[in-house]
Amino acid sequence: MSTVPEPPPQAAPPSQAERVLDRALRAAGGVVTVWAAVLLALLDLIFATWAWGAVQGRSGAAQALVGVGVVVVGVTAVVATTVLLGWFAHRSTGSRWAVALAALPWFLVILAGGFRTAEGDLALIGDNVLGLALIVSGAVTFAVQGFRHLLAPPTAAR
């Protein structure tokens, strides 16, 4: 009778079909991440523009109260959604660099919101403090996520 426990049985290596399916699902996760980042940035721009208009329509204490409430809700929503988007990107692709798949399209759409269209529309104007707060909070959140993923120890190969 031996007191040394038997090692667990080794899992069989994945077949060619399983590897192809895994790569296809990871690629699909990357595509979904990019599209979700674009849609999230568009929603952020729409919210910033709408909320700034709501704040500007008030005066005195009402403007301050509405402004503080909108900033708190907006920044919290941006931080929460960018964290979820970065988490989804990492989990769906299995890559540490996947946060870039979420951050780059988000930054490009936000950047495009600062330029006038041919019709003269402008999503983010210079005095839109809420828009600037949303940009900074999203940028810092993506930076922290990227830094955390880079510092995390490597996981076992799948």
Side-chain angles (χ1 to χ4, degrees):
M1 181 165 165
S2 174
T3 58
V4 177
E6 292 183 23
Q10 293 285 335
S15 68
Q16 179 70 19
E18 289 173 329
R19 286 193 301 264
V20 168
L21 179 62
D22 183 56
R23 289 184 188 204
L25 287 174
R26 289 174 191 254
V31 169
V32 169
T33 298
V34 168
W35 279 107
V38 168
L39 292 175
L40 178 62
L42 288 173
L43 287 174
D44 291 343
L45 286 174
I46 290 169
F47 177 77
T49 305
W50 169 82
W52 190 246
V55 169
Q56 293 300 318
R58 314 244 188 252
S59 64
Q63 183 179 23
L65 185 62
V66 170
V68 168
V70 166
V71 167
V72 168
V73 169
V75 168
T76 303
V78 167
V79 169
T81 54
T82 52
V83 166
L84 287 173
L85 187 60
W87 172 83
F88 175 78
H90 178 66
R91 294 291 292 173
S92 66
T93 63
S95 171
R96 293 178 171 199
W97 297 95
V99 73
L101 285 175
L104 290 176
W106 188 87
F107 283 122
L108 290 175
V109 172
I110 294 294
L111 181 67
F115 291 101
R116 287 201 185 275
T117 63
E119 295 82 21
D121 297 333
L122 184 61
L124 290 176
I125 53 177
D127 66 345
N128 187 343
V129 178
L130 174 63
L132 298 175
L134 296 178
I135 292 169
V136 169
S137 63
V140 168
T141 304
F142 277 127
V144 168
Q145 281 186 317
F147 189 68
R148 287 190 61 201
H149 285 300
L150 289 177
L151 290 182
T155 57
R158 292 183 191 192

